[in-house]
Amino acid sequence: VPGRRNVWEAVWKDEIVIAKMFSHRLSAKRHLKREWCGLKLLQARRICAPEPLFCGKTEGGKWVVAETRVPGALTALDAYTQVVEKGEKLEILISICHEIARQHDNGILQQDLHLDNFLLNGKEVYTLDPGRMRFYSHPVSRKRGISHLAMLACYLPDDDNRSLQLLYEAYLAFRSWQGCIEEADWFKTE
């Protein structure tokens, strides 16, 4: 994010890590704290995410967070754009949908929901960008969860109602909920 942070691969203690350097002169420390606390909260709630390694200042006085690098992983967006089969694309969205449902069950709401905020490594889904998450002491409500899911549905073609319905059903099933007619209307077209 220009003017706010840079993300780099770096070497720390002879290990390749991801380093996020926060550079905005007024809000760098606040963004660093959000990122660090978010990584710790994801870890405490057993959400798959890079492991937090270091939080502090560089020799040059810049605020930085270092976290483990997930070797061989692709962002979910890269994986999604690399596959051509509709079924494979839906599989990727459903795996992200399950991760979102797991987060919602754990009281986590990603406020910047897009496929670049998830890494895929085989069947593992890693969550990124915890600085843009809200952490609650209770599960995310049904209404909020369903409306949040709609942001993921924007990756589907406008006329793909069947995939949209499958995404909706996967979310409900993961959260052990039954569907209702009113909610189902969000994936119907006139």
Side-chain angles (χ1 to χ4, degrees), residues 65-119:
V65 167
E67 59 190 44
T68 55
R69 180 178 157 269
V70 182
L74 286 175
T75 68
L77 182 60
D78 287 343
Y80 186 81
T81 56
Q82 286 179 14
V83 298
V84 292
E85 294 295 321
K86 180 179 166 181
E88 290 178 272
K89 286 183 178 288
L90 182 59
E91 253 181 63
I92 291 169
L93 291 179
I94 286 176
S95 67
I96 300 303
C97 175
H98 285 163
E99 187 58 30
I100 291 168
R102 179 179 292 109
Q103 290 175 15
H104 290 176
D105 275 349
N106 282 278
I108 302 167
L109 193 64
Q110 171 60 269
Q111 298 203 284
D112 188 24
L113 181 64
H114 55 80
L115 294 181
D116 270 335
N117 276 337
F118 298 92
L119 287 179

Side-chain angles (χ1 to χ4, degrees), residues 104 107-111 132-136 140 144 148:
H104 290 176
I108 302 167
L109 193 64
Q110 171 60 269
Q111 298 203 284
R132 295 291 316 250
M133 294 179 179
R134 298 273 186 207
F135 294 88
Y136 301 100
V140 172
R144 199 170 211 187
H148 200 235

Side-chain angles (χ1 to χ4, degrees), residues 17-186:
V17 300
I18 298 299
K20 292 184 181 182
M21 187 179 301
F22 299 88
S23 55
H24 190 274
R25 65 180 188 85
L26 298 176
S27 60
K29 189 173 181 181
R30 180 171 37 96
H31 289 293
L32 169 113
K33 284 182 180 181
R34 274 195 212 149
E35 187 80 17
W36 183 254
C37 290
L39 284 168
K40 292 294 204 174
L41 286 167
L42 289 173
Q43 195 174 46
R45 295 182 190 199
R46 292 187 160 86
I47 300 296
C48 190
E51 181 184 346
L53 300 171
F54 172 81
C55 176
K57 279 191 169 184
T58 65
E59 290 176 4
K62 299 285 187 183
W63 293 103
V64 68
V65 167
E67 59 190 44
T68 55
R69 180 178 157 269
V70 182
L74 286 175
T75 68
L77 182 60
D78 287 343
Y80 186 81
T81 56
Q82 286 179 14
V83 298
V84 292
E85 294 295 321
K86 180 179 166 181
E88 290 178 272
K89 286 183 178 288
L90 182 59
E91 253 181 63
I92 291 169
L93 291 179
I94 286 176
S95 67
I96 300 303
C97 175
H98 285 163
E99 187 58 30
I100 291 168
R102 179 179 292 109
Q103 290 175 15
H104 290 176
D105 275 349
N106 282 278
I108 302 167
L109 193 64
Q110 171 60 269
Q111 298 203 284
D112 188 24
L113 181 64
H114 55 80
L115 294 181
D116 270 335
N117 276 337
F118 298 92
L119 287 179
L120 301 178
N121 191 8
K123 295 289 183 189
E124 292 270 35
V125 178
Y126 288 79
T127 297
L128 304 176
D129 203 11
R132 295 291 316 250
M133 294 179 179
R134 298 273 186 207
F135 294 88
Y136 301 100
S137 59
H138 52 80
V140 172
S141 71
R142 182 181 183 106
K143 182 178 179 179
R144 199 170 211 187
I146 297 290
S147 67
H148 200 235
L149 178 65
M151 288 190 281
L152 184 61
C154 76
Y155 288 96
L156 293 169
D158 290 342
D159 62 347
D160 191 357
N161 290 339
R162 180 64 187 143
S163 293
L164 195 53
Q165 184 174 359
L166 291 171
L167 200 62
Y168 167 75
E169 290 170 357
Y171 179 84
L172 292 180
F174 191 90
R175 295 205 64 191
S176 301
W177 290 343
Q178 298 297 316
C180 71
I181 302 293
E182 293 80 20
E183 287 174 352
D185 284 343
W186 69 271

